[in-house]
């Protein structure tokens, strides 16, 4: 059966990561359930020139950030996990403390309570102790913190190669192959 993933895009820098992740998941035949925060809508337009509605069209289904009646708000809706890409420090804080103030954080909360895979592509620089403590709490609760680190060993020729590397590493967490350049490939 095809995989089904929840995808969250927040208003941290790196909106292109969320877009490329959705494209890769579509190519891999994964069913995607997308929720984009209000700030992410603005950052998507500012950083990439994409319209948020066009990003939503990359997903199988997209939900409004305040729609707590959406299927992904419930643990009874079966999924193979969730990726938040990119993940802001604000959303990380909500996930780490269980303060489910919007649908994205509620969906992440569901992943943790159901023991499902939750990957947070947490992006900020530098990190405060607050951020690090929230990462620790989220990790202890079962999430995987996967920051969009720069890659060097793959000898990237530019930003798109770096982005592909991050997407490849992130989707490896779900056993989804994207064909990115691995060490010794
Ligand atoms: C252009 C832009 C870039 C931002 N980059 C980051 C970032 O890299 N990391 C971060 O945690 N917040 C960043 N922020 C701040 C978040 O957007 C802000 O904290 C917001 O409240 C996050 O809300 P959300 O998680 O609901 O999207 C950025 C904001 C803007 C406008």
């Amino acid at each position: 059966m095809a995989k089904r993933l929840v995808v969250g895009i927040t208003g941290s820098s790196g909106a292109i990561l969320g877009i490329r992740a959705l494209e890769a998941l579509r190519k891999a035949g994964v069913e995607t359930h997308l929720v984009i925060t209000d700030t992410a809508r603005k950052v998507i337009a500012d950083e990439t020139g994409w319209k948020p509605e066009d990003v939503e069209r990359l997903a199988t289904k997209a939900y409004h950030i305040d729609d707590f009646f959406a299927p992904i708000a419930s643990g009874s809706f079966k999924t193979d996990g969730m990726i938040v890409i990119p993940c802001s420090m604000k959303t990380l804080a909500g996930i780490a403390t269980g303060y489910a103030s919007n649908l994205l954080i509620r969906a992440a909360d569901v992943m943790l309570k159901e023991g499902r895979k939750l990957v947070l592509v947490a992006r900020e620089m530098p990190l405060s102790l607050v951020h690090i403590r929230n990462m620790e709490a989220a990790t202890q609760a079962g999430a995987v913190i996967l920051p969009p680190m720069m890659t060097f060993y793959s000898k990237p020729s530019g930003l798109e190669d770096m982005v592909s590397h991050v997407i490849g590493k992130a989707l490896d967490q779900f056993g989804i192959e994207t064909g990115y350049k691995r060490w010794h490939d």
Side-chain angles (χ1 to χ4, degrees), residues 10-13 37 39-40 43 46 88-91 102 123-124:
T10 76
S12 113
S13 192
T37 68
T39 316
V43 177
D46 183 66
S88 74
M89 295 303 105
K90 176 194 159 192
T91 292
N102 64 35
R123 199 269 162 209
E124 187 49 282

Side-chain angles (χ1 to χ4, degrees), residues 24-157:
L25 289 166
R26 197 181 163 115
K27 199 170 160 204
V30 175
E31 183 183 312
T32 49
H33 293 256
L34 173 67
V35 56
I36 303 179
T37 68
D38 290 334
T39 316
R41 293 183 170 277
K42 295 178 193 158
V43 177
I44 286 169
D46 183 66
E47 283 190 346
T48 72
W50 276 68
K51 291 194 184 103
E53 309 79 63
D54 290 337
V55 175
E56 286 178 328
R57 276 186 209 107
L58 294 173
T60 312
K61 286 216 71 171
Y63 307 97
H64 190 273
I65 190 68
D66 293 327
D67 182 8
F68 286 102
F69 288 82
I72 58 172
S74 170
S76 65
F77 183 69
K78 280 193 172 175
T79 67
D80 298 293
M82 175 172 182
I83 181 166
V84 186
I85 178 167
C87 181
S88 74
M89 295 303 105
K90 176 194 159 192
T91 292
L92 168 71
I95 294 169
T97 55
Y99 190 72
S101 55
N102 64 35
L103 176 63
L104 191 157
I105 301 175
R106 168 60 188 168
D109 208 34
V110 165
M111 297 300 145
L112 295 180
K113 82 183 175 76
E114 300 292 339
R116 296 180 195 152
K117 192 95 183 180
L118 174 63
V119 174
L120 306 178
V121 181
R123 199 269 162 209
E124 187 49 282
M125 185 168 66
L127 296 169
S128 73
L129 186 57
V130 172
H131 303 149
I132 292 167
R133 286 198 170 130
N134 283 334
M135 287 183 190
E136 181 189 35
T139 303
Q140 283 171 339
V144 172
I145 305 292
L146 194 146
M149 295 282 189
M150 293 170 79
T151 166
F152 299 97
Y153 64 83
S154 60
K155 303 193 180 57
S157 57

